[in-house]
Amino acid sequence: MFNLEGKRAFVTGGSSGIGYAVATAYAERGVRVVIADIADASHAAAKIGASYVHCDVSDEDSVAGALRAASDLLEGLLDIVVLNAGVGDVGPELKDTDQALIEKVTKINYWGVVYGLKHAGAVMNDGASIISTSSMAAFINVPGAAIYSASKKAVVSLTEMAALELGNRSIRVNCVCPGYTDTAMGSAEEGRAICEAFTALGRPATVDDMSGVYVFLAADASRYMTGQALKVDGGWSCGPTSALLERITGSATAPG
Ligand SMILES: NC(=O)c1ccc[n+]([C@@H]2O[C@H](COP(=O)([O-])OP(=O)(O)OC[C@H]3O[C@@H](n4cnc5c(N)ncnc54)[C@H](O)[C@@H]3O)[C@@H](O)[C@H]2O)c1
């Protein structure tokens, strides 16, 4: 059910963080992987026996070209496409957010997934799996993160729409919504403090806490799942923790 041997995968944003952990987890399971990233990942890819193609996800031609190049490199249609590239820029309140941040986050996080979903089908096998990276920020808002949260909510919506449109080819489309994960995007120190208070599990995620979910969504084990957003957030979205309640009210349980 979890066998991925011999499959072909394309992972955007695969040069670091969650994307690299996913590419590594696939490669370890016998998947032939192409990493697509704006940053040169030739060396990182070679280390895990993968290949690298340049791709700027905010540019439609670049995304379509990278998907075709991956299929050519791997000599066949793709079985797994992971649309994971993203930026985590946050700013002041919405009224003071500058246009450059709005455009950057929207183009990479939202349009990047639009272009991936638009062009992936042409180079994928029927029965394949597309997995995008959204965020728990799609469900829980934090002041200053309006554009980021909206871009990640858009990924959930696009996932549902693409699942409907590609279902007739048995291509499944799902997204992962990570909680605070220790990568270049955020400092471990901030993440730990926030997660100790806000998550049931009391800690930030590591990239390896994420990669297993991408293995599951690529594998036959999830074959009847499509159009879903999986929250992998240590329980952040469940509600306030006992520790947080105690800090605010002095009692670890709901006020009677
Ligand atoms: N780290 C977290 O706490 C967290 C939480 C929720 C969601 N996410 C999401 O996870 C995904 C991966 O982020 P990460 O935490 O691994 O951060 P990261 O910075 O390590 O990885 C992001 C990757 O995207 C690439 N990238 C950026 N702009 C690009 C572009 N225009 N074209 C192609 N590639 C581009 C970067 O080069 C990098 O390899 C992102 O979509 C992010 O929004 C991260």
Side-chain angles (χ1 to χ4, degrees):
M1 279 225 260
F2 291 91
N3 182 18
L4 297 178
E5 189 76 40
K7 291 191 184 288
R8 298 180 184 89
F10 172 90
V11 181
T12 71
S15 85
S16 65
I18 295 170
Y20 190 62
V22 171
T24 304
Y26 287 162
E28 284 170 355
R29 284 157 182 82
V31 178
R32 297 163 66 198
V33 180
V34 171
I35 289 175
D37 204 295
I38 200 164
D40 183 358
S42 324
H43 293 305
K47 264 198 214 164
I48 59 169
S51 308
Y52 165 72
V53 294
H54 176 82
C55 176
D56 176 356
V57 298
S58 67
D59 176 322
E60 181 169 3
D61 290 342
S62 178
V63 174
L67 281 161
R68 279 195 305 271
S71 177
D72 289 347
L73 268 170
L74 299 177
E75 299 171 321
L77 295 173
L78 305 174
D79 305 292
I80 306 163
V81 165
V82 179
L83 305 172
N84 162 79
V87 287
D89 300 38
V90 293
E93 289 186 355
L94 199 46
K95 66 179 169 50
D96 299 317
T97 301
D98 67 54
Q99 187 61 20
L101 183 146
I102 296 170
E103 285 185 14
K104 179 183 174 191
V105 173
T106 303
K107 281 185 179 170
I108 296 174
N109 292 4
Y110 175 22
W111 295 7
V113 174
V114 172
Y115 297 148
L117 293 172
K118 181 172 169 185
H119 294 286
V123 293
M124 294 188 83
N125 280 311
D126 289 358
S129 175
I130 303 177
I131 306 158
S132 301
T133 304
S134 173
S135 171
M136 70 100 199
F139 303 98
I140 296 191
N141 296 298
V142 178
I147 307 303
Y148 181 76
S149 284
S151 72
K152 293 301 186 179
K153 194 93 168 185
V155 173
V156 175
S157 173
L158 289 166
T159 297
E160 293 172 351
M161 191 61 80
L164 286 174
E165 294 188 358
L166 292 169
N168 60 0
R169 292 181 52 201
S170 299
I171 293 178
R172 300 182 298 108
V173 188
N174 294 288
C175 65
V176 178
C177 304
Y180 203 107
T181 308
D182 188 7
T183 67
M185 203 170 269
S187 99
E189 206 181 316
E190 282 168 349
R192 183 156 298 281
I194 293 170
C195 290
E196 274 172 10
F198 284 92
T199 69
L201 296 182
R203 65 170 179 86
T206 66
V207 292
D208 295 329
D209 291 329
M210 294 298 146
S211 55
V213 182
Y214 291 78
V215 168
F216 167 67
L217 287 175
D220 209 36
S222 61
R223 62 183 173 254
Y224 200 59
M225 273 185 67
T226 193
Q228 301 306 304
L230 263 71
K231 295 174 191 157
V232 189
D233 65 356
W236 191 330
S237 54
C238 297
T241 59
S242 305
L244 194 58
L245 279 180
E246 192 158 19
R247 202 179 290 180
I248 296 166
T249 67
S251 163
T253 53

